[in-house]
Amino acid sequence: MRILTVLLLMACDPTPAVTDGNTNTSTDGGDTDGDTDGDTDDAPVEAGCDDGLDDDDDGLVDCADDDCAGFWACDLPDAMNHQTRIDFEGYTIECETFFGKIDVDIDDCVTRFTSPIQLTEQGSLCPDCDRTYVGDVTVEEDSCEDLTGSSDLPEEARFGFVFLSENERELWTVDETGAWVYAINLIRSDDGWNFVEGAVLPASPEECSNGPLDLGYVTVTLEFSDQP
């Protein structure tokens, strides 16, 4: 059983237009500052920064317009730091063997790998995402090889993101067939974009004739933090 398969298994309306709150409009109907030339203090602005329109008729649309500076969708990250951590808490199982029932203690283990990921336009890109990021993986800890039967960890991290709002993103990953699949929604927290999920891990050990058995509890933690 591949440890990344466990990760994907546990990942078991369109966004309405958002405005930047500016409602100023131009007018030529009189003075508001005491001048006599008909000018006003209110200049037209880009009222909607994600509506695909040139609201103030200056030839610049949405994020290309300086009026939208600071709007969340106009300041998407070009780089992130990423960490995946898999914590396994082993149970004591009752294994039926040729010689009778025996209790087997399943060891705890931890797998943890990190990756600084960068915006990319190369290689396999997520077709349904706003942006795709890629980076080399550094394995910082992997004591779950005995449990999974292999240490088949990725050498490259590749993630797609759909930016739903200032506080929510869709995360897309590549499955074992090489296809892009939706994984989870990430919700913004004080320290980044995190997801934590846990589940009991069943398996059928070869030495036990009474499988599948619940070997323990696995917790998957994904952490992403935007970089300037």
Side-chain angles (χ1 to χ4, degrees), residues 61-114:
V61 176
D62 292 348
C63 294
D65 195 313
D66 289 342
D67 292 337
C68 291
F71 181 58
W72 70 269
C74 301
D75 191 27
L76 300 179
D78 290 334
M80 304 182 202
N81 282 333
H82 155 253
Q83 175 175 273
T84 291
R85 180 183 176 101
I86 302 173
D87 294 278
F88 177 77
E89 179 184 356
Y91 293 165
T92 297
I93 62 173
E94 188 178 79
C95 177
E96 294 183 2
T97 71
F98 177 80
F99 301 101
K101 294 181 179 180
I102 59 173
D103 289 338
V104 177
D105 292 329
I106 306 299
D107 292 336
D108 299 344
C109 66
V110 176
T111 293
R112 181 165 52 93
F113 53 92
T114 62

Side-chain angles (χ1 to χ4, degrees), residues 38-216:
D39 291 338
T40 69
D41 289 333
D42 292 330
V45 297
E46 191 77 2
C49 290
D50 61 351
D51 58 6
L53 302 176
D54 181 10
D55 300 299
D56 54 3
D57 295 324
D58 63 355
L60 302 173
V61 176
D62 292 348
C63 294
D65 195 313
D66 289 342
D67 292 337
C68 291
F71 181 58
W72 70 269
C74 301
D75 191 27
L76 300 179
D78 290 334
M80 304 182 202
N81 282 333
H82 155 253
Q83 175 175 273
T84 291
R85 180 183 176 101
I86 302 173
D87 294 278
F88 177 77
E89 179 184 356
Y91 293 165
T92 297
I93 62 173
E94 188 178 79
C95 177
E96 294 183 2
T97 71
F98 177 80
F99 301 101
K101 294 181 179 180
I102 59 173
D103 289 338
V104 177
D105 292 329
I106 306 299
D107 292 336
D108 299 344
C109 66
V110 176
T111 293
R112 181 165 52 93
F113 53 92
T114 62
S115 177
I117 54 177
Q118 302 280 337
L119 177 67
T120 183
E121 298 295 335
Q122 306 296 321
S124 172
L125 303 180
C126 177
D128 296 310
C129 300
D130 297 321
R131 291 188 170 193
T132 301
Y133 298 81
V134 65
D136 294 332
V137 167
T138 298
V139 179
E140 298 185 338
E141 186 176 4
D142 184 18
S143 59
C144 293
E145 182 175 354
D146 291 340
L147 176 69
T148 61
S150 70
S151 187
D152 190 13
L153 296 177
E155 296 181 356
E156 178 186 84
R158 188 171 288 265
F159 298 103
F161 283 89
V162 178
F163 298 92
L164 299 175
S165 72
E166 187 174 7
N167 297 308
E168 186 175 10
R169 300 173 180 178
E170 284 184 3
L171 174 66
W172 288 62
T173 61
V174 179
D175 68 12
E176 293 182 352
T177 70
W180 282 95
V181 293
Y182 163 78
I184 53 176
N185 274 30
L186 295 170
I187 304 300
R188 186 175 189 171
S189 64
D190 291 339
D191 55 352
W193 303 82
N194 304 327
F195 173 85
V196 181
E197 187 65 80
V200 173
L201 179 64
S204 299
E206 293 181 1
E207 63 272 20
C208 302
S209 60
N210 57 327
L213 301 171
D214 291 338
L215 300 188

